[in-house]
């Protein structure tokens, strides 16, 4: 021990002594006898007690900042939180709330729950949830402050806002180790203002981005599952029938992503807290619509207590309000599941027996009802076909129905007599396989013949209905898309039977037809050859300027599948148009092996949803492209939309992208309930644009009013979407709107786009063909492309293909160009694939019919055009949808519409619009 200090020697000796003594005691087999007091001496009692420190806390409650940005596990198809937003985490769940200036959902401003998921799964499929004090977006309280902190073992984010005599405080809370997010909503009267009759939590999931399953823990008969009534918001009786005493709204996510998620939102209580501190329960309800849900509560107890609201309840509600000093407290919980089924949530709610089973098909969905035929839950089988689903307490009997991807249903009734609760084996009929062609871009459409049912790919098997009518999801279709790349599916399952198969590649190609026989347990293969191109668009580029994928809050399609479907339709330029979000997908083109075949343009659909002082009826929807995505920022750095006029939105785009194209999307709505999204239906002010009146009329003049700061006007968009998808019901009205703008000198190019969100509706139909004779191969220069779109060097089509020029001995002009002279020959070449019929050519001059002719595909028509003043000419070709057209493009009809050729009749080098209309 040389070299050791005295203290070191004693420490070493004591350590060795303790080790030897401990080893001797451990090696001693017989236990030591106790003394007379029954006390057995232990060495440990003479040693200091070492307390194991608790594990470090995983709680986080803070604002996302640049210096800590990489530490936040943002992830999932709907994750939009960025710098400045607010983050909650307990190591299991990660949650984000938008900052004050980051509008999300149907309310202007921030403080919105925007991201919810498991921290380690990157599975966020949450869309938006807005608190609606007063139960209307017009009366919602804007958030003015957000704070975060760790309090009493929980991470909390608190938002506060005041308006119209009301203070609203919302606390989002994650406890250490908890599996749920708690939300407390406090509403209190602090001054005079409008009466608050009721309030609620609005959850948005348009186009069934999430699928709602309603469940009531306190009124079992109010549990509807996926079978919902149709609620007419304009009829009190219909509303009453739809306001159900249900506390749970289970939102099932999509199965189309690598990771899955579902959410259980519960309004667990709502109460009135009086001045003296007494608490009274308040009537609450759940209303479920196909595109959103509303958890609501009234502001005062009912005179006659009833779980179900009735006419008397609604009458009393008209006299309800919060008195000074009173508070309303609503408590919510949000559970998160890691599978896209109801059981991932209900397994956390129910405390009864486990139900087991096994299916020989791993695509099966299992639905369960109780003895009173009330929905209980729904689950999906695991990869090996097994399933384990928890049931409510005291469950003794259930009805089960297992459904395969191809619609085969097996139903059983089961008495839960023993602890095993084994539902047995669920044996489905064997399917056959079809080997798919390789290296050929195309779409294959399948139709059952005879007794064979037409297959439905992408069926979510949830059985969602409204008023008994099935509402299919956005991925459900009878089509398989191939891009001719390695990631294409190798084969598909099909039930045994006879099928008619159509092979197509979009508007420029013919269609091949095949007969297919599928035998159970066998692999079939068709001698499919590539569709033949019948129209070569060397100088024309096909583009869909309005396309969505899963990054939109109302879509669930992964972008790789969007690209696959786009290439399968023979289209070239895709403008990514996610709602209020910028995502740069361009790297996926190369990753999929599609370089040179398709070009992706980064854009956004600037979607006005809030009603504000500057836009009382929203600003509608518009596209802007190309833009630059900023992944670290909220929603990718999308330009702001809410609480500003359309002119201000345009100015915001011009500020960050001066050369961007600004497109006014679907300016008219086919459904009156969708009026907010259609700018010309309200002009942001509640006035319908009237094409019969001049732009400076009292009805239309708001379009010309400049923003006092930027000078931009609502009319300063570049192009107008004349045809959106299958909305032919409003096409002629929008065309007339467009003509009225042209007639008054507002030269705006027309576009037509698919607005496709999934696979049910074909992408790139309608599409635009843009004349770019010297552009070269893809990718094109974005500025050159934008200039051609703005200039109107293009035509819209759902099938007919055009070449239009205006000629004279000394001049020739194409679409978007100016023709010099008062007389010329209008040359119209009409082509079409054999499956596209055309029968009428209409020539419009200054918005009036100049000539109508019967035509067929292949015709070249020459029309003499004479005018005594400056004018513009537009060509329109239409036809009737034949059987193959209807099979490939349901809901559409053959149509092509050209952009104008402007006629400078007096040859002075300037184009003057026709006389302004009275």
């Amino acid at each position: 021990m040389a070299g050791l200090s005295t203290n070191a020697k004693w420490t070493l000796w004591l350590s060795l002594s303790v080790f030897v003594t401990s080893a001797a005691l451990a090696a001693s087999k017989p236990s030591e006898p106790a003394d007379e007091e029954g006390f057995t001496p232990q060495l440990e009692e003479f040693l200091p007690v070492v307390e194991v420190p608790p594990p470090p806390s995983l709680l986080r409650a803070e604002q996302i900042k640049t210096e800590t940005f990489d530490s936040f596990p943002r992830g999932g198809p709907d994750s939009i939180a960025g710098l400045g937003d607010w983050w909650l985490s307990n190591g299991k769940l990660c949650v984000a709330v938008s900052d004050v200036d980051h509008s999300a959902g149907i309310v202007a401003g921030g403080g919105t729950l925007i991201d919810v998921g498991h921290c380690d799964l990157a599975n966020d499929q949450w869309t938006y949830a807005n608190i609606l004090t007063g139960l209307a977006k017009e009366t919602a309280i804007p958030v003015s402050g957000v704070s975060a902190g760790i309090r009493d073992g929980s991470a909390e984010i608190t938002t506060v806002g005041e308006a119209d005599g009301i203070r609203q405080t919302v606390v989002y809370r994650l406890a250490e180790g908890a599996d749920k997010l708690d939300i407390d909503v406090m509403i209190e009267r602090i001054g005079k203002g409008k009466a608050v009759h009721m309030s609620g939590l609005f959850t948005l999931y348009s186009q069934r981005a999430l699928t709602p399953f309603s469940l009531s823990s306190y009124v079992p008969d109010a549990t509807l599952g996926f079978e919902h009534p149709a609620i007419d918001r304009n009829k009190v009786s219909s509303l009453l029938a739809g306001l159900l005493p249900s506390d749970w709204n289970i939102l099932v996510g999509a199965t189309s992503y690598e990771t899955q998620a579902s959410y259980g939102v519960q309004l667990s209580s709502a109460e009135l807290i009086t001045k003296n501190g007494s608490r009274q329960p308040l009537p609450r309800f759940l209303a479920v619509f196909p595109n959103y849900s509303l958890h609501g509560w009234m502001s005062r107890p009912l005179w006659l207590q009833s779980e179900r609201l009735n006419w008397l309840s609604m009458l009393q509600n008209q006299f309800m309000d919060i008195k000074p000093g009173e508070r309303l407290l609503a408590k919510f919980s949000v559970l998160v599941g890691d599978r896209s089924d109801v059981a991932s949530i209900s397994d956390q709610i129910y405390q009864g027996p486990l139900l087991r089973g096994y299916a020989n098909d791993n695509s099966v969905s299992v639905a369960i009802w109780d003895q009173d035929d009330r929905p209980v839950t729904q689950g999906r089988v695991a990869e090996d076909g097994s399933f384990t689903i928890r049931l409510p307490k005291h469950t003794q009997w259930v009805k089960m129905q297992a459904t395969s991807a191809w619609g085969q249903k097996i139903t059983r009734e089961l008495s839960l007599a023993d602890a095993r609760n084994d539902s047995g084996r669920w044996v489905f009929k064997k399917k056959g396989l079809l080997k798919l062609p390789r290296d050929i871009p195309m779409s294959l459409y399948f139709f059952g013949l005879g007794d064979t049912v037409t297959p439905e790919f992408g069926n979510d098997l949830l059985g969602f209905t409204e008023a008994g009518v099935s509402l299919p999801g956005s991925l459900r279709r009878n089509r398989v898309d191939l891009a001719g790349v390695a990631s294409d599916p190798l084969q598909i399952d099909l039930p045994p039977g006879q099928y008619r198969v159509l092979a197509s590649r979009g508007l420029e190609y013919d269609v091949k037809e095949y007969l297919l026989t599928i035998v159970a347990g066998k692999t079939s293969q068709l001698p499919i050859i590539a569709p033949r191109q019948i129209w070569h668009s060397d100088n024309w580029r096909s583009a869909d300027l309005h396309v969505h994928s899963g990054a939109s809050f109302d879509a669930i399609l992964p972008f790789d599948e969007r690209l696959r479907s786009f290439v399968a339709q023979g289209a070239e330029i895709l403008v990514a148009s996610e709602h209020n979000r910028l995502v740069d997908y361009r790297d996926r083109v190369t990753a999929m092996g599609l370089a040179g075949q398709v070009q992706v343009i980064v854009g956004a659909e600037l979607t006005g949803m809030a009603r504000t002082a500057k836009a009382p009826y929203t600003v509608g929807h518009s596209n802007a492209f190309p833009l630059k995505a900023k992944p670290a920022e909220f929603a990718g750095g999308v330009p702001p939309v809410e609480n500003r006029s359309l002119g201000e939105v345009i100015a915001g785009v011009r500020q960050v992208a001066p050369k961007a194209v600004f497109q006014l999307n679907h300016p008219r709505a086919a459904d009156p309930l969708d009026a907010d999204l259609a700018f010309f239906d309200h002009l942001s002010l509640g006035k319908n644009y009237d094409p019969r009146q001049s732009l400076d009329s009292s009805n239309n003049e708001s379009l010309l009013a400049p923003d006092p700061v930027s000078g931009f006007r609502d009319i300063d968009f570049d192009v107008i979407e004349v045809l959106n998808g299958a909305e032919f019901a409003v096409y002629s009205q929008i065309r007339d709107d467009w003509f009225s703008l042209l007639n008054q000198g507002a030269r705006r190019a027309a576009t037509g786009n698919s607005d496709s969100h999934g696979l049910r509706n074909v992408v790139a139909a309608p599409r635009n063909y843009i004349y770019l004779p010297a552009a070269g191969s893809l990718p094109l220069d974005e500025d050159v492309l934008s200039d051609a779109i703005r200039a109107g060097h293009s035509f819209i089509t759902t099938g007919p293909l055009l070449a239009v020029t205006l000629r004279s001995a000394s001049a020739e002009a194409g679409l978007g160009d100016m023709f010099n002279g008062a007389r010329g020959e209008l040359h119209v070449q009409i082509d079409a694939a054999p499956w596209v019929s055309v029968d009428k050519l209409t020539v419009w001059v200054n918005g009036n019919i100049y000539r109508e002719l019967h035509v067929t595909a292949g015709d070249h028509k020459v029309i003499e055009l004479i005018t005594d003043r400056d004018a513009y000419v537009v060509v329109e070709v239409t036809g009737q949808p034949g059987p193959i057209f209807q099979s490939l493009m349901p809901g559409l009809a053959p149509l092509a519409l050209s952009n104008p050729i402007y006629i400078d009749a007096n040859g002075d080098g300037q184009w003057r619009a026709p006389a302004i209309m009275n």
Side-chain angles (χ1 to χ4, degrees), residues 316-491:
Q316 182 187 349
N317 183 250
Q318 300 304 306
F319 301 97
M320 291 183 180
D321 193 12
I322 311 170
K323 296 178 182 178
E326 291 183 334
R327 294 170 293 163
L328 305 182
L329 176 62
K331 288 182 170 289
F332 289 88
S333 294
V334 180
L335 297 174
V336 187
D338 59 4
R339 302 189 314 274
S340 293
D341 61 13
V342 176
S344 67
I345 300 298
S346 62
D347 284 357
Q348 302 180 58
I349 301 171
Y350 297 149
Q351 300 177 7
L354 287 170
L355 182 62
R356 299 174 173 84
Y358 172 83
N360 66 337
D361 185 332
N362 62 14
S363 67
V364 166
S365 171
V366 180
I368 300 175
W369 294 263
D370 66 12
Q371 62 271 20
D372 296 310
D373 210 31
R374 294 178 297 222
V376 174
T377 187
Q378 170 272 336
R380 300 186 190 278
V381 303
E383 189 67 27
D384 64 359
S386 64
F387 61 88
T388 302
I389 299 174
R390 189 168 293 281
L391 301 174
K393 274 186 178 180
H394 312 302
T395 301
Q396 298 179 346
W397 181 98
V398 293
K399 182 178 77 172
M400 305 175 63
Q401 185 175 85
T403 306
S404 74
W406 306 118
Q408 183 188 351
K409 298 180 186 295
I410 301 175
T411 303
R412 293 177 184 170
E413 296 179 358
L414 184 66
S415 178
L416 307 181
D418 58 57
R420 292 184 66 244
N421 299 325
D422 192 345
S423 66
R425 291 176 59 85
W426 299 72
V427 180
F428 288 83
K429 294 177 181 177
K430 282 188 176 181
K431 301 183 292 292
L433 292 175
L434 174 64
K435 188 176 180 180
L436 296 173
R438 304 297 294 166
D439 306 320
I440 306 175
M442 66 173 68
S443 291
L444 299 176
Y445 298 76
F446 294 83
F447 303 89
L449 296 175
D451 295 333
T452 304
V453 177
T454 294
E456 291 184 329
F457 306 100
N459 188 342
D460 58 25
L461 303 181
L462 297 179
F464 183 85
T465 63
E466 185 182 43
V469 178
S470 174
L471 298 183
S474 62
L475 303 186
R476 195 165 161 184
R477 77 282 184 196
N478 66 330
R479 188 183 75 252
V480 173
D481 294 318
L482 304 171
V485 294
S487 61
D488 284 344
L490 298 175
Q491 58 191 23

Side-chain angles (χ1 to χ4, degrees), residues 595-913:
Q597 296 183 60
V598 63
Q599 179 175 355
V600 173
I601 306 291
V602 180
E605 182 165 18
L606 305 176
T607 305
M609 292 189 282
R611 293 191 171 191
T612 63
K614 289 191 173 182
Y617 287 81
T618 82
V619 292
H621 294 194
S622 299
N623 270 17
F625 61 90
L627 299 174
K628 183 178 180 180
K630 301 175 182 178
E633 296 189 10
F634 167 72
V638 72
V641 177
E642 303 293 10
N643 199 26
R644 54 192 60 209
S645 67
L646 182 59
E648 288 178 279
V649 175
I650 296 171
V653 170
R654 292 282 179 261
Q655 184 176 4
V656 298
K659 297 182 179 181
V661 175
F662 198 96
Q663 172 180 273
L664 185 66
N665 290 347
H666 43 68
R668 300 286 188 180
D671 185 345
L673 292 177
D674 293 333
D676 274 9
L677 58 80
F679 181 72
F680 274 10
D681 281 346
H682 52 70
L683 299 180
S684 291
L685 302 173
K687 294 182 178 181
N688 191 314
Y689 175 69
D690 188 348
R692 299 165 300 178
Q693 297 187 42
S694 63
L695 285 169
D696 59 1
S697 67
S698 59
N699 188 84
N700 300 333
E701 63 183 357
S702 63
L703 286 168
L704 302 178
D707 171 56
V709 176
S710 67
F712 280 92
R713 307 167 299 169
D714 289 358
I715 202 172
D716 288 335
F717 49 87
D718 298 307
V719 300
I720 181 172
E721 191 177 64
V722 174
L723 181 58
N724 175 277
E727 293 193 345
F728 281 80
V730 291
Y731 162 71
S732 60
Q733 184 180 13
I734 300 173
R735 184 195 60 203
D736 290 346
D737 292 335
W738 177 50
F739 285 158
S740 79
L741 297 178
L742 296 173
N743 284 339
Q744 299 176 77
R747 292 172 60 168
R748 306 290 183 267
T751 62
N753 306 293
S754 72
D755 195 6
S756 177
H757 284 67
L759 296 175
R760 189 165 182 83
N761 297 325
V762 176
V763 71
R767 68 178 66 171
N768 307 276
Y769 279 95
I770 305 161
Y771 188 64
L772 292 162
S777 59
L778 298 180
L780 307 180
D781 182 282
E782 291 183 345
D783 289 344
V784 172
L785 175 65
S786 298
D787 289 344
I789 293 170
R790 247 190 305 266
H793 299 319
S794 61
F795 65 91
I796 305 162
T797 183
T798 61
L801 302 164
L802 304 179
V804 182
T805 55
L806 185 58
R807 308 174 191 173
S808 69
S810 58
E812 180 174 339
L815 302 181
D817 293 334
M818 190 161 68
F819 177 81
N820 187 1
R823 172 179 292 208
E825 289 183 341
L826 184 67
H827 289 253
V828 182
Q829 175 66 41
I830 304 167
D831 292 300
W835 52 277
V836 179
S837 68
V838 296
D839 55 28
K840 186 169 75 170
L841 164 67
T842 304
V843 177
W844 299 86
V845 174
N846 296 343
N848 297 310
I849 295 176
Y850 183 83
R851 188 75 53 84
E852 286 183 322
L853 298 171
H854 177 77
V855 293
T856 58
D859 282 355
H860 183 99
K861 297 294 184 181
V862 179
I863 299 105
E864 186 178 25
L865 198 151
I866 302 173
T867 180
D868 58 358
R869 57 191 173 115
D870 290 0
Y872 66 89
V873 58
V874 169
V875 167
E876 182 183 55
V877 174
T878 56
Q880 299 301 314
I884 294 181
F885 189 100
Q886 290 176 323
S887 296
L888 302 183
M889 298 186 177
L892 297 176
L895 168 71
L897 180 73
S898 79
N899 266 294
I901 297 174
Y902 297 95
I903 302 172
D904 175 18
N906 60 9
D908 65 355
Q910 297 183 8
W911 184 80
R912 294 173 179 80

Side-chain angles (χ1 to χ4, degrees), residues 186 269 271-274 276-282 301 327 329 331:
M186 181 74 76
S269 66
E271 53 188 4
L272 170 68
I273 305 174
T274 63
N276 62 16
S278 66
R279 294 172 179 253
Q280 303 174 37
L282 296 173
R327 294 170 293 163
L329 176 62
K331 288 182 170 289

